[in-house]
mmCIF file with all atom_site columns, all heavy atoms in Angstrom:
data_model
loop_
_atom_site.group_PDB
_atom_site.id
_atom_site.type_symbol
_atom_site.label_atom_id
_atom_site.label_alt_id
_atom_site.label_comp_id
_atom_site.label_asym_id
_atom_site.label_entity_id
_atom_site.label_seq_id
_atom_site.pdbx_PDB_ins_code
_atom_site.Cartn_x
_atom_site.Cartn_y
_atom_site.Cartn_z
_atom_site.occupancy
_atom_site.B_iso_or_equiv
_atom_site.pdbx_formal_charge
_atom_site.auth_seq_id
_atom_site.auth_comp_id
_atom_site.auth_asym_id
_atom_site.auth_atom_id
_atom_site.pdbx_PDB_model_num
ATOM 1  N N   . ALA A 1 30 ? -48.885 -10.248 1.396  1.00 0.00 ? 30 ALA A N   1
ATOM 2  C CA  . ALA A 1 30 ? -48.485 -11.390 2.214  1.00 0.00 ? 30 ALA A CA  1
ATOM 3  C C   . ALA A 1 30 ? -48.911 -11.176 3.666  1.00 0.00 ? 30 ALA A C   1
ATOM 4  O O   . ALA A 1 30 ? -48.761 -10.087 4.219  1.00 0.00 ? 30 ALA A O   1
ATOM 5  C CB  . ALA A 1 30 ? -46.977 -11.586 2.146  1.00 0.00 ? 30 ALA A CB  1
ATOM 6  N N   . LEU A 1 34 ? -50.786 -15.353 12.927 1.00 0.00 ? 34 LEU A N   1
ATOM 7  C CA  . LEU A 1 34 ? -51.275 -14.765 14.170 1.00 0.00 ? 34 LEU A CA  1
ATOM 8  C C   . LEU A 1 34 ? -51.282 -13.243 14.164 1.00 0.00 ? 34 LEU A C   1
ATOM 9  O O   . LEU A 1 34 ? -50.724 -12.584 15.010 1.00 0.00 ? 34 LEU A O   1
ATOM 10 C CB  . LEU A 1 34 ? -50.463 -15.276 15.364 1.00 0.00 ? 34 LEU A CB  1
ATOM 11 C CG  . LEU A 1 34 ? -50.498 -16.785 15.577 1.00 0.00 ? 34 LEU A CG  1
ATOM 12 C CD1 . LEU A 1 34 ? -49.573 -17.184 16.706 1.00 0.00 ? 34 LEU A CD1 1
ATOM 13 C CD2 . LEU A 1 34 ? -51.904 -17.284 15.829 1.00 0.00 ? 34 LEU A CD2 1
ATOM 14 N N   . GLY A 1 35 ? -51.945 -12.690 13.191 1.00 0.00 ? 35 GLY A N   1
ATOM 15 C CA  . GLY A 1 35 ? -52.025 -11.236 13.126 1.00 0.00 ? 35 GLY A CA  1
ATOM 16 C C   . GLY A 1 35 ? -53.440 -10.758 12.877 1.00 0.00 ? 35 GLY A C   1
ATOM 17 O O   . GLY A 1 35 ? -54.312 -11.514 12.479 1.00 0.00 ? 35 GLY A O   1
ATOM 18 N N   . GLU A 1 38 ? -56.665 -5.395  8.563  1.00 0.00 ? 38 GLU A N   1
ATOM 19 C CA  . GLU A 1 38 ? -57.791 -4.531  8.245  1.00 0.00 ? 38 GLU A CA  1
ATOM 20 C C   . GLU A 1 38 ? -58.064 -4.592  6.749  1.00 0.00 ? 38 GLU A C   1
ATOM 21 O O   . GLU A 1 38 ? -57.131 -4.553  5.938  1.00 0.00 ? 38 GLU A O   1
ATOM 22 C CB  . GLU A 1 38 ? -57.487 -3.087  8.639  1.00 0.00 ? 38 GLU A CB  1
ATOM 23 C CG  . GLU A 1 38 ? -57.366 -2.900  10.137 1.00 0.00 ? 38 GLU A CG  1
ATOM 24 C CD  . GLU A 1 38 ? -57.138 -1.443  10.521 1.00 0.00 ? 38 GLU A CD  1
ATOM 25 O OE1 . GLU A 1 38 ? -57.308 -0.551  9.655  1.00 0.00 ? 38 GLU A OE1 1
ATOM 26 O OE2 . GLU A 1 38 ? -56.795 -1.217  11.684 1.00 0.00 ? 38 GLU A OE2 1
ATOM 27 N N   . PHE A 1 39 ? -59.339 -4.687  6.399  1.00 0.00 ? 39 PHE A N   1
ATOM 28 C CA  . PHE A 1 39 ? -59.771 -4.709  5.005  1.00 0.00 ? 39 PHE A CA  1
ATOM 29 C C   . PHE A 1 39 ? -60.690 -3.512  4.807  1.00 0.00 ? 39 PHE A C   1
ATOM 30 O O   . PHE A 1 39 ? -61.796 -3.487  5.330  1.00 0.00 ? 39 PHE A O   1
ATOM 31 C CB  . PHE A 1 39 ? -60.512 -6.014  4.687  1.00 0.00 ? 39 PHE A CB  1
ATOM 32 C CG  . PHE A 1 39 ? -59.692 -7.247  4.921  1.00 0.00 ? 39 PHE A CG  1
ATOM 33 C CD1 . PHE A 1 39 ? -59.707 -7.900  6.137  1.00 0.00 ? 39 PHE A CD1 1
ATOM 34 C CD2 . PHE A 1 39 ? -58.896 -7.759  3.895  1.00 0.00 ? 39 PHE A CD2 1
ATOM 35 C CE1 . PHE A 1 39 ? -58.948 -9.038  6.347  1.00 0.00 ? 39 PHE A CE1 1
ATOM 36 C CE2 . PHE A 1 39 ? -58.127 -8.890  4.100  1.00 0.00 ? 39 PHE A CE2 1
ATOM 37 C CZ  . PHE A 1 39 ? -58.143 -9.542  5.325  1.00 0.00 ? 39 PHE A CZ  1
ATOM 38 N N   . SER A 1 43 ? -65.017 1.119   -0.787 1.00 0.00 ? 43 SER A N   1
ATOM 39 C CA  . SER A 1 43 ? -65.350 1.234   -2.216 1.00 0.00 ? 43 SER A CA  1
ATOM 40 C C   . SER A 1 43 ? -66.526 0.350   -2.622 1.00 0.00 ? 43 SER A C   1
ATOM 41 O O   . SER A 1 43 ? -67.152 0.596   -3.654 1.00 0.00 ? 43 SER A O   1
ATOM 42 C CB  . SER A 1 43 ? -64.134 0.892   -3.070 1.00 0.00 ? 43 SER A CB  1
ATOM 43 O OG  . SER A 1 43 ? -63.760 -0.457  -2.897 1.00 0.00 ? 43 SER A OG  1
ATOM 44 N N   . ASP A 1 48 ? -77.097 2.603   2.383  1.00 0.00 ? 48 ASP A N   1
ATOM 45 C CA  . ASP A 1 48 ? -77.687 1.733   3.395  1.00 0.00 ? 48 ASP A CA  1
ATOM 46 C C   . ASP A 1 48 ? -78.005 0.376   2.799  1.00 0.00 ? 48 ASP A C   1
ATOM 47 O O   . ASP A 1 48 ? -78.354 0.271   1.621  1.00 0.00 ? 48 ASP A O   1
ATOM 48 C CB  . ASP A 1 48 ? -78.976 2.349   3.944  1.00 0.00 ? 48 ASP A CB  1
ATOM 49 C CG  . ASP A 1 48 ? -78.729 3.606   4.768  1.00 0.00 ? 48 ASP A CG  1
ATOM 50 O OD1 . ASP A 1 48 ? -77.564 3.828   5.159  1.00 0.00 ? 48 ASP A OD1 1
ATOM 51 O OD2 . ASP A 1 48 ? -79.681 4.360   4.994  1.00 0.00 ? 48 ASP A OD2 1
ATOM 52 N N   . ASP A 1 61 ? -50.225 -22.181 0.334  1.00 0.00 ? 61 ASP A N   1
ATOM 53 C CA  . ASP A 1 61 ? -50.055 -22.754 1.666  1.00 0.00 ? 61 ASP A CA  1
ATOM 54 C C   . ASP A 1 61 ? -51.287 -22.392 2.502  1.00 0.00 ? 61 ASP A C   1
ATOM 55 O O   . ASP A 1 61 ? -52.239 -21.835 1.997  1.00 0.00 ? 61 ASP A O   1
ATOM 56 C CB  . ASP A 1 61 ? -48.742 -22.310 2.314  1.00 0.00 ? 61 ASP A CB  1
ATOM 57 C CG  . ASP A 1 61 ? -48.626 -20.797 2.438  1.00 0.00 ? 61 ASP A CG  1
ATOM 58 O OD1 . ASP A 1 61 ? -49.584 -20.091 2.092  1.00 0.00 ? 61 ASP A OD1 1
ATOM 59 O OD2 . ASP A 1 61 ? -47.569 -20.332 2.879  1.00 0.00 ? 61 ASP A OD2 1
ATOM 60 N N   . ALA A 1 72 ? -61.585 -15.491 21.322 1.00 0.00 ? 72 ALA A N   1
ATOM 61 C CA  . ALA A 1 72 ? -60.335 -14.746 21.459 1.00 0.00 ? 72 ALA A CA  1
ATOM 62 C C   . ALA A 1 72 ? -59.847 -14.176 20.132 1.00 0.00 ? 72 ALA A C   1
ATOM 63 O O   . ALA A 1 72 ? -59.047 -13.238 20.111 1.00 0.00 ? 72 ALA A O   1
ATOM 64 C CB  . ALA A 1 72 ? -59.267 -15.636 22.071 1.00 0.00 ? 72 ALA A CB  1
ATOM 65 N N   . VAL A 1 78 ? -65.605 -2.750  12.137 1.00 0.00 ? 78 VAL A N   1
ATOM 66 C CA  . VAL A 1 78 ? -65.421 -1.384  12.617 1.00 0.00 ? 78 VAL A CA  1
ATOM 67 C C   . VAL A 1 78 ? -65.943 -0.455  11.541 1.00 0.00 ? 78 VAL A C   1
ATOM 68 O O   . VAL A 1 78 ? -65.457 -0.478  10.414 1.00 0.00 ? 78 VAL A O   1
ATOM 69 C CB  . VAL A 1 78 ? -63.933 -1.085  12.913 1.00 0.00 ? 78 VAL A CB  1
ATOM 70 C CG1 . VAL A 1 78 ? -63.756 0.343   13.369 1.00 0.00 ? 78 VAL A CG1 1
ATOM 71 C CG2 . VAL A 1 78 ? -63.384 -2.085  13.928 1.00 0.00 ? 78 VAL A CG2 1
ATOM 72 N N   . PRO A 1 81 ? -67.496 6.768   10.203 1.00 0.00 ? 81 PRO A N   1
ATOM 73 C CA  . PRO A 1 81 ? -68.232 7.670   9.319  1.00 0.00 ? 81 PRO A CA  1
ATOM 74 C C   . PRO A 1 81 ? -67.311 8.456   8.397  1.00 0.00 ? 81 PRO A C   1
ATOM 75 O O   . PRO A 1 81 ? -66.186 8.643   8.618  1.00 0.00 ? 81 PRO A O   1
ATOM 76 C CB  . PRO A 1 81 ? -68.985 8.576   10.252 1.00 0.00 ? 81 PRO A CB  1
ATOM 77 C CG  . PRO A 1 81 ? -68.354 8.448   11.588 1.00 0.00 ? 81 PRO A CG  1
ATOM 78 C CD  . PRO A 1 81 ? -67.582 7.164   11.577 1.00 0.00 ? 81 PRO A CD  1
#
Side-chain angles (χ1 to χ4, degrees):
L34 300 176
E38 293 183 13
F39 301 91
S43 65
D48 292 344
D61 58 3
V78 178

